[in-house]
Amino acid sequence: MCFGCRKIFKNIFYYKNDDIHIRYETDGNFKYERTLFIIEAKAYRISQAAKEGKIIRTEKHLEQIVRDSYEQGLRTLNYIKSKSTAKFSTGNGNKIEIKTTDFDEEI
């Protein structure tokens, strides 16, 4: 599949150091002009304390959601930058290649 051909790739997978036993997922990638976008989203169950408006618990939930999404996105970016051509696959086995020369910046 062509990366950057006006497609958004959702739920794509890659392997740590090409080890098929360590698989990671990224929620979405797309390219707009020369910018790579890496999308990560988290779903967490909100505690009763947070639902009741307890500020400290709500802040902890938000910190965890943002931190986990950031770390997952950063891991994906580091994987892409570690290779001249990063290889991903979809859940049904389609292959996607992202070349570092395809973008100048990332978000």
Side-chain angles (χ1 to χ4, degrees), residues 90-103:
T90 64
N92 62 5
N94 289 330
K95 304 296 181 201
I96 299 161
E97 293 184 346
I98 299 176
K99 297 178 182 178
T100 55
T101 57
D102 287 343
F103 60 93

Side-chain angles (χ1 to χ4, degrees), residues 47-58:
S47 70
Q48 188 61 37
K51 289 178 185 177
E52 292 171 359
K54 304 253 182 344
I55 298 298
I56 293 173
R57 190 63 197 140
T58 302

